[in-house]
Amino acid sequence: MSRNTPTTSIARHDAHSIHIREHDLVNELMGHVSFTEMIYLQLTGKRASTLQVKVLDVVLVTLMEHGHTPSSIVARQIYDSTPEAMQSAIAAGILGVGGTFIGTMEGAALVIDQLLADPANMRQTARDIAQSHFDQRKPLPGFGHPFHKPGDPRSPRLFEVARSHGAEGKHIDALQLLSEEVDRVYGKHLTINVTGAVAAVLGEIGIPQKIMRGLAVVSRAAGLVGHIHEEQAKPSARHVWQLVNEHVPYVKES
Amino acid sequence: MSRNTPTTSIARHDAHSIHIREHDLVNELMGHVSFTEMIYLQLTGKRASTLQVKVLDVVLVTLMEHGHTPSSIVARQIYDSTPEAMQSAIAAGILGVGGTFIGTMEGAALVIDQLLADPANMRQTARDIAQSHFDQRKPLPGFGHPFHKPGDPRSPRLFEVARSHGAEGKHIDALQLLSEEVDRVYGKHLTINVTGAVAAVLGEIGIPQKIMRGLAVVSRAAGLVGHIHEEQAKPSARHVWQLVNEHVPYVKES
Amino acid sequence: MSRNTPTTSIARHDAHSIHIREHDLVNELMGHVSFTEMIYLQLTGKRASTLQVKVLDVVLVTLMEHGHTPSSIVARQIYDSTPEAMQSAIAAGILGVGGTFIGTMEGAALVIDQLLADPANMRQTARDIAQSHFDQRKPLPGFGHPFHKPGDPRSPRLFEVARSHGAEGKHIDALQLLSEEVDRVYGKHLTINVTGAVAAVLGEIGIPQKIMRGLAVVSRAAGLVGHIHEEQAKPSARHVWQLVNEHVPYVKES
Amino acid sequence: MSRNTPTTSIARHDAHSIHIREHDLVNELMGHVSFTEMIYLQLTGKRASTLQVKVLDVVLVTLMEHGHTPSSIVARQIYDSTPEAMQSAIAAGILGVGGTFIGTMEGAALVIDQLLADPANMRQTARDIAQSHFDQRKPLPGFGHPFHKPGDPRSPRLFEVARSHGAEGKHIDALQLLSEEVDRVYGKHLTINVTGAVAAVLGEIGIPQKIMRGLAVVSRAAGLVGHIHEEQAKPSARHVWQLVNEHVPYVKES
């Protein structure tokens, strides 16, 4: 094997066994680990600690379901168009887990990493970040919510779950310190929203910023299965199509 | 609300709370239920029993990862082409969870449902199913494996996990009875493969045949996150492209 | 190269030139052929006749745009969620070009092929097909339209364009013969709809049934670009989301 | 209709007719316009001039096919996994038309727009752009090609087709002026690549920068149909899967 041959270290199998990250699937994993533990193992190559399982579970539970969303609307339309290929509906729906809705989680994680990079000057860095976003009227990732006011109820609960299972708290503390500076600079309270809080608690368990989006996608994919199942029993896709016809009318372009 | 207005019963929220299936997300679910328990609740509207959690976990763990697959090859190619939109890579990959690889799970579940529909004549039905597939040389969904011979090691483990947590066993028994008739008709042993076994154990916990594919998609989506994470650290997509250029050469059409 | 090595005959290139189907892209194709001619060449390896170009053009023009459709609703939702990855919006939209909306084209093409397979007994075959669909209350692919009554205006125009450019007319004739039997068996007029007519005229130019769906996808992809462009200037996606919230209300499951 | 109701101006229909951009589909468009003319009309609401048709055609022809690409590899894998849903294969493939391969077209269009914004200082702006990319070792969008050296043969042909049909040439001139400054700053010749040239000629016919990617997607979607058709006749997907198994081996993570 030449030096430059790329390799994989995820899974190997022979006729009698399958090993994932060097663990025997049949004898060590099936029936012994939860889906969440398996996600952590497959992703990182390491067995999850209790803290890591609890935080990953609470994040996956939190992001899974928000009622009607662009993703659920899309999944139901596509399911109605092609019920013979349910995976298409889920795929189409998760294509909506993009910059608008999930980019803020990644942005918040970047800001937290920036704060942690220079612990001695964290408050000054926080002040600068808050001020520069305020001055440029740029949305600050992880802060504010159009609907959950004054506070997003999920954020303190995420912190509580993480801390109660032994999280060190550095990422959470950094985000909360930033929150203090944000409130000072903006002259009003901006809630730490769920995407900011998720970024912090995933940071606590060592999930790198650049793979976080993937976990949000898995969580949302699971939520979409529920929407498709409801669509099977109580279809609404055709009704929504009709709504669009009625409420987004044709007008001749002037 | 007119009689014909479609409705949803999955989630509702106001400024201070989010309820999923009438459970308070922040106070009843976050930190209290696992991702798997949440999947069951959101999908069915009911809290999962221990049996249901254990079976759902083992199924999601089992289907998650198989090393290089069409889905993982695809996810890595798309991630390399558009790293700014990781959800695209996962979406593209799960588009491969279609008829060829997962249709057999649904087919096996249909066969099991058919056997259970007439308990008094189950063995005769099993014999007829085996014989008609044999005569028409049609693959029998849930049986045979190109690689795991003589037996797929995952199938007995799936049955064992389900039975050890109290599964009644009707779906498993039906599939095993069919297996006996299959071996008799074919004159050789055909293993119950993992998709057949998954169909049986999901049937044991009341998951309807027509939503099973969705769970396979979620499991595989999680596996793809691991492949993308590996691609970030040890890229192979460009190498695979080069392999295709070298090994699928151009020839002038005759 | 071993006997079993798969090959490709579509394109080859070196540092100075690109050849597609053995035609020099820069010197023979660019500026010399239309997009439609290029589609035909790349797909079949042959230069299109005038008839083939005209029929392919009229089909691609006909299927491109239908106002609000599941595909356009989906594309706009995804574009709004991830404007940084426009290809996701198009991909999500074309996932709706599945069995419900385009399967009938393929079904109609199969029926036409069936009629043409036994020219001597075509009318009897047509009668049997019509009768069996009528008896089983199965929709007959290519016939009927929920909205365009009594006749789909596109179908006669498709036939006219094909015939006026020299189509032999065997596929069209077969479909029209079936139409006569359909009207007799059903005791009322069922229009040949656009998907039936498209199947017939694509058959006239030698497009195989099993690739027809691909052309419909390309046509619809082009239409979705127009919807995304309109969404950029006159956004409606958020409004549609709001409509769904208002018109598909939450009710507690009984 | 309230002031805030969003509207659409693309298509309307009644039982007897379909109008697209106020043109009667059956009587004015079918059989009268090419697919390319229809794309322009649906996108812009205006009938295309000869120049606009010729440029759009040459762009769609140029971008359609490049032999094995991530998109074609992906489309064939997904088609093999789910032949019952061909649209999935095309959708998965076009998800690869993202930042890595097409972002440069958009970047080049932005640079051209920047040059044209201040005609009096165009050369100085060009020099500054070239210098800043050189200094920061950032790839300059629209310049350089890993394979087509010294020059991408498609670029001069694109300019030639546009100019020979009456393009004013402002966008092309701006890009060529930048090219002069690039060669001076870099001290060697960097070719204007196909994506740069496409950006320039699409600018010539008034296609806005922010919708250009959509046209590339449509062109590539058409190319993928050809690959799927070849896969139907000469399958290579399973062979590629096997190649990946052999050439991206498992190694235990150290």
Side-chain angles (χ1 to χ4, degrees), chain D residues 208-228:
Chain D
Q209 183 267 350
K210 70 178 176 171
I211 199 65
M212 287 180 182
R213 185 185 293 212
L215 297 172
V217 170
V218 171
S219 175
R220 194 53 68 88
L224 294 177
V225 178
H227 281 273
I228 291 166

PDB file of all heavy atoms in Angstrom, chain D residues 208-228:
ATOM      1  N   PRO D 208     -28.416  37.418 -14.578  1.00  0.00           N
ATOM      2  CA  PRO D 208     -27.833  37.901 -13.319  1.00  0.00           C
ATOM      3  C   PRO D 208     -26.922  36.852 -12.676  1.00  0.00           C
ATOM      4  O   PRO D 208     -27.186  35.651 -12.760  1.00  0.00           O
ATOM      5  CB  PRO D 208     -29.046  38.155 -12.422  1.00  0.00           C
ATOM      6  CG  PRO D 208     -30.248  38.112 -13.306  1.00  0.00           C
ATOM      7  CD  PRO D 208     -29.881  37.286 -14.500  1.00  0.00           C
ATOM      8  N   GLN D 209     -25.894  37.334 -12.022  1.00  0.00           N
ATOM      9  CA  GLN D 209     -24.922  36.453 -11.362  1.00  0.00           C
ATOM     10  C   GLN D 209     -25.603  35.457 -10.435  1.00  0.00           C
ATOM     11  O   GLN D 209     -25.210  34.295 -10.371  1.00  0.00           O
ATOM     12  CB  GLN D 209     -23.918  37.333 -10.582  1.00  0.00           C
ATOM     13  CG  GLN D 209     -22.800  36.590  -9.899  1.00  0.00           C
ATOM     14  CD  GLN D 209     -23.126  36.231  -8.442  1.00  0.00           C
ATOM     15  OE1 GLN D 209     -24.111  36.683  -7.882  1.00  0.00           O
ATOM     16  NE2 GLN D 209     -22.295  35.387  -7.860  1.00  0.00           N
ATOM     17  N   LYS D 210     -26.623  35.883  -9.732  1.00  0.00           N
ATOM     18  CA  LYS D 210     -27.130  35.006  -8.671  1.00  0.00           C
ATOM     19  C   LYS D 210     -28.047  33.880  -9.156  1.00  0.00           C
ATOM     20  O   LYS D 210     -28.463  33.062  -8.338  1.00  0.00           O
ATOM     21  CB  LYS D 210     -27.796  35.826  -7.561  1.00  0.00           C
ATOM     22  CG  LYS D 210     -29.089  36.474  -7.905  1.00  0.00           C
ATOM     23  CD  LYS D 210     -29.623  37.212  -6.658  1.00  0.00           C
ATOM     24  CE  LYS D 210     -30.903  37.956  -7.011  1.00  0.00           C
ATOM     25  NZ  LYS D 210     -31.556  38.504  -5.819  1.00  0.00           N
ATOM     26  N   ILE D 211     -28.323  33.813 -10.456  1.00  0.00           N
ATOM     27  CA  ILE D 211     -29.096  32.672 -10.966  1.00  0.00           C
ATOM     28  C   ILE D 211     -28.261  31.800 -11.904  1.00  0.00           C
ATOM     29  O   ILE D 211     -28.700  30.730 -12.337  1.00  0.00           O
ATOM     30  CB  ILE D 211     -30.401  33.152 -11.649  1.00  0.00           C
ATOM     31  CG1 ILE D 211     -31.418  31.998 -11.771  1.00  0.00           C
ATOM     32  CG2 ILE D 211     -30.129  33.744 -13.034  1.00  0.00           C
ATOM     33  CD1 ILE D 211     -31.930  31.475 -10.473  1.00  0.00           C
ATOM     34  N   MET D 212     -27.025  32.217 -12.185  1.00  0.00           N
ATOM     35  CA  MET D 212     -26.185  31.464 -13.132  1.00  0.00           C
ATOM     36  C   MET D 212     -26.025  29.994 -12.751  1.00  0.00           C
ATOM     37  O   MET D 212     -26.044  29.112 -13.606  1.00  0.00           O
ATOM     38  CB  MET D 212     -24.792  32.103 -13.221  1.00  0.00           C
ATOM     39  CG  MET D 212     -24.759  33.410 -13.980  1.00  0.00           C
ATOM     40  SD  MET D 212     -23.056  34.077 -14.026  1.00  0.00           S
ATOM     41  CE  MET D 212     -23.341  35.628 -14.926  1.00  0.00           C
ATOM     42  N   ARG D 213     -25.859  29.729 -11.457  1.00  0.00           N
ATOM     43  CA  ARG D 213     -25.646  28.355 -11.015  1.00  0.00           C
ATOM     44  C   ARG D 213     -26.792  27.449 -11.480  1.00  0.00           C
ATOM     45  O   ARG D 213     -26.573  26.279 -11.808  1.00  0.00           O
ATOM     46  CB  ARG D 213     -25.526  28.306  -9.490  1.00  0.00           C
ATOM     47  CG  ARG D 213     -25.190  26.937  -8.947  1.00  0.00           C
ATOM     48  CD  ARG D 213     -25.187  26.875  -7.426  1.00  0.00           C
ATOM     49  NE  ARG D 213     -24.115  27.661  -6.836  1.00  0.00           N
ATOM     50  CZ  ARG D 213     -23.491  27.342  -5.697  1.00  0.00           C
ATOM     51  NH1 ARG D 213     -23.852  26.264  -5.016  1.00  0.00           N
ATOM     52  NH2 ARG D 213     -22.546  28.111  -5.212  1.00  0.00           N
ATOM     53  N   GLY D 214     -27.996  28.001 -11.490  1.00  0.00           N
ATOM     54  CA  GLY D 214     -29.154  27.200 -11.888  1.00  0.00           C
ATOM     55  C   GLY D 214     -29.017  26.662 -13.301  1.00  0.00           C
ATOM     56  O   GLY D 214     -29.395  25.515 -13.588  1.00  0.00           O
ATOM     57  N   LEU D 215     -28.480  27.474 -14.195  1.00  0.00           N
ATOM     58  CA  LEU D 215     -28.314  27.021 -15.578  1.00  0.00           C
ATOM     59  C   LEU D 215     -27.270  25.912 -15.672  1.00  0.00           C
ATOM     60  O   LEU D 215     -27.433  24.953 -16.438  1.00  0.00           O
ATOM     61  CB  LEU D 215     -27.936  28.205 -16.471  1.00  0.00           C
ATOM     62  CG  LEU D 215     -29.020  29.284 -16.539  1.00  0.00           C
ATOM     63  CD1 LEU D 215     -28.500  30.512 -17.274  1.00  0.00           C
ATOM     64  CD2 LEU D 215     -30.267  28.754 -17.228  1.00  0.00           C
ATOM     65  N   ALA D 216     -26.215  26.039 -14.892  1.00  0.00           N
ATOM     66  CA  ALA D 216     -25.210  24.968 -14.861  1.00  0.00           C
ATOM     67  C   ALA D 216     -25.834  23.665 -14.368  1.00  0.00           C
ATOM     68  O   ALA D 216     -25.526  22.579 -14.865  1.00  0.00           O
ATOM     69  CB  ALA D 216     -24.036  25.375 -13.967  1.00  0.00           C
ATOM     70  N   VAL D 217     -26.730  23.782 -13.400  1.00  0.00           N
ATOM     71  CA  VAL D 217     -27.374  22.587 -12.858  1.00  0.00           C
ATOM     72  C   VAL D 217     -28.240  21.902 -13.926  1.00  0.00           C
ATOM     73  O   VAL D 217     -28.222  20.676 -14.070  1.00  0.00           O
ATOM     74  CB  VAL D 217     -28.219  22.944 -11.612  1.00  0.00           C
ATOM     75  CG1 VAL D 217     -29.098  21.769 -11.181  1.00  0.00           C
ATOM     76  CG2 VAL D 217     -27.315  23.377 -10.461  1.00  0.00           C
ATOM     77  N   VAL D 218     -28.988  22.692 -14.681  1.00  0.00           N
ATOM     78  CA  VAL D 218     -29.844  22.115 -15.727  1.00  0.00           C
ATOM     79  C   VAL D 218     -28.994  21.409 -16.780  1.00  0.00           C
ATOM     80  O   VAL D 218     -29.296  20.291 -17.213  1.00  0.00           O
ATOM     81  CB  VAL D 218     -30.700  23.217 -16.390  1.00  0.00           C
ATOM     82  CG1 VAL D 218     -31.430  22.672 -17.620  1.00  0.00           C
ATOM     83  CG2 VAL D 218     -31.691  23.776 -15.385  1.00  0.00           C
ATOM     84  N   SER D 219     -27.915  22.052 -17.166  1.00  0.00           N
ATOM     85  CA  SER D 219     -27.039  21.461 -18.167  1.00  0.00           C
ATOM     86  C   SER D 219     -26.479  20.127 -17.668  1.00  0.00           C
ATOM     87  O   SER D 219     -26.497  19.120 -18.378  1.00  0.00           O
ATOM     88  CB  SER D 219     -25.906  22.440 -18.479  1.00  0.00           C
ATOM     89  OG  SER D 219     -24.981  21.864 -19.352  1.00  0.00           O
ATOM     90  N   ARG D 220     -26.017  20.133 -16.439  1.00  0.00           N
ATOM     91  CA  ARG D 220     -25.427  18.921 -15.883  1.00  0.00           C
ATOM     92  C   ARG D 220     -26.490  17.827 -15.668  1.00  0.00           C
ATOM     93  O   ARG D 220     -26.206  16.634 -15.829  1.00  0.00           O
ATOM     94  CB  ARG D 220     -24.705  19.242 -14.573  1.00  0.00           C
ATOM     95  CG  ARG D 220     -23.787  18.147 -14.094  1.00  0.00           C
ATOM     96  CD  ARG D 220     -22.778  17.684 -15.148  1.00  0.00           C
ATOM     97  NE  ARG D 220     -21.805  18.680 -15.463  1.00  0.00           N
ATOM     98  CZ  ARG D 220     -20.651  18.829 -14.804  1.00  0.00           C
ATOM     99  NH1 ARG D 220     -20.351  18.020 -13.821  1.00  0.00           N
ATOM    100  NH2 ARG D 220     -19.805  19.771 -15.163  1.00  0.00           N
ATOM    101  N   ALA D 221     -27.695  18.241 -15.297  1.00  0.00           N
ATOM    102  CA  ALA D 221     -28.772  17.251 -15.143  1.00  0.00           C
ATOM    103  C   ALA D 221     -28.980  16.498 -16.450  1.00  0.00           C
ATOM    104  O   ALA D 221     -29.149  15.273 -16.465  1.00  0.00           O
ATOM    105  CB  ALA D 221     -30.064  17.941 -14.702  1.00  0.00           C
ATOM    106  N   ALA D 222     -28.937  17.234 -17.564  1.00  0.00           N
ATOM    107  CA  ALA D 222     -29.100  16.584 -18.869  1.00  0.00           C
ATOM    108  C   ALA D 222     -27.963  15.603 -19.118  1.00  0.00           C
ATOM    109  O   ALA D 222     -28.182  14.490 -19.617  1.00  0.00           O
ATOM    110  CB  ALA D 222     -29.162  17.638 -19.971  1.00  0.00           C
ATOM    111  N   GLY D 223     -26.756  15.983 -18.763  1.00  0.00           N
ATOM    112  CA  GLY D 223     -25.631  15.070 -18.932  1.00  0.00           C
ATOM    113  C   GLY D 223     -25.797  13.797 -18.115  1.00  0.00           C
ATOM    114  O   GLY D 223     -25.448  12.700 -18.560  1.00  0.00           O
ATOM    115  N   LEU D 224     -26.358  13.938 -16.921  1.00  0.00           N
ATOM    116  CA  LEU D 224     -26.519  12.754 -16.062  1.00  0.00           C
ATOM    117  C   LEU D 224     -27.506  11.750 -16.651  1.00  0.00           C
ATOM    118  O   LEU D 224     -27.371  10.541 -16.429  1.00  0.00           O
ATOM    119  CB  LEU D 224     -26.945  13.184 -14.656  1.00  0.00           C
ATOM    120  CG  LEU D 224     -25.883  13.985 -13.899  1.00  0.00           C
ATOM    121  CD1 LEU D 224     -26.430  14.432 -12.543  1.00  0.00           C
ATOM    122  CD2 LEU D 224     -24.594  13.187 -13.716  1.00  0.00           C
ATOM    123  N   VAL D 225     -28.494  12.254 -17.391  1.00  0.00           N
ATOM    124  CA  VAL D 225     -29.439  11.327 -18.036  1.00  0.00           C
ATOM    125  C   VAL D 225     -28.682  10.400 -18.989  1.00  0.00           C
ATOM    126  O   VAL D 225     -28.945   9.192 -19.041  1.00  0.00           O
ATOM    127  CB  VAL D 225     -30.549  12.097 -18.778  1.00  0.00           C
ATOM    128  CG1 VAL D 225     -31.493  11.127 -19.494  1.00  0.00           C
ATOM    129  CG2 VAL D 225     -31.333  12.970 -17.801  1.00  0.00           C
ATOM    130  N   GLY D 226     -27.720  10.957 -19.704  1.00  0.00           N
ATOM    131  CA  GLY D 226     -26.901  10.124 -20.590  1.00  0.00           C
ATOM    132  C   GLY D 226     -26.100   9.079 -19.830  1.00  0.00           C
ATOM    133  O   GLY D 226     -25.969   7.928 -20.271  1.00  0.00           O
ATOM    134  N   HIS D 227     -25.571   9.466 -18.672  1.00  0.00           N
ATOM    135  CA  HIS D 227     -24.812   8.496 -17.877  1.00  0.00           C
ATOM    136  C   HIS D 227     -25.717   7.383 -17.343  1.00  0.00           C
ATOM    137  O   HIS D 227     -25.324   6.222 -17.286  1.00  0.00           O
ATOM    138  CB  HIS D 227     -24.083   9.207 -16.729  1.00  0.00           C
ATOM    139  CG  HIS D 227     -22.834   9.897 -17.192  1.00  0.00           C
ATOM    140  ND1 HIS D 227     -21.623   9.261 -17.267  1.00  0.00           N
ATOM    141  CD2 HIS D 227     -22.626  11.151 -17.646  1.00  0.00           C
ATOM    142  CE1 HIS D 227     -20.709  10.103 -17.743  1.00  0.00           C
ATOM    143  NE2 HIS D 227     -21.292  11.260 -17.968  1.00  0.00           N
ATOM    144  N   ILE D 228     -26.913   7.758 -16.938  1.00  0.00           N
ATOM    145  CA  ILE D 228     -27.843   6.735 -16.436  1.00  0.00           C
ATOM    146  C   ILE D 228     -28.238   5.796 -17.581  1.00  0.00           C
ATOM    147  O   ILE D 228     -28.329   4.578 -17.391  1.00  0.00           O
ATOM    148  CB  ILE D 228     -29.077   7.411 -15.800  1.00  0.00           C
ATOM    149  CG1 ILE D 228     -28.659   8.124 -14.516  1.00  0.00           C
ATOM    150  CG2 ILE D 228     -30.173   6.394 -15.521  1.00  0.00           C
ATOM    151  CD1 ILE D 228     -29.693   9.092 -13.978  1.00  0.00           C
TER     152      ILE D 228
END
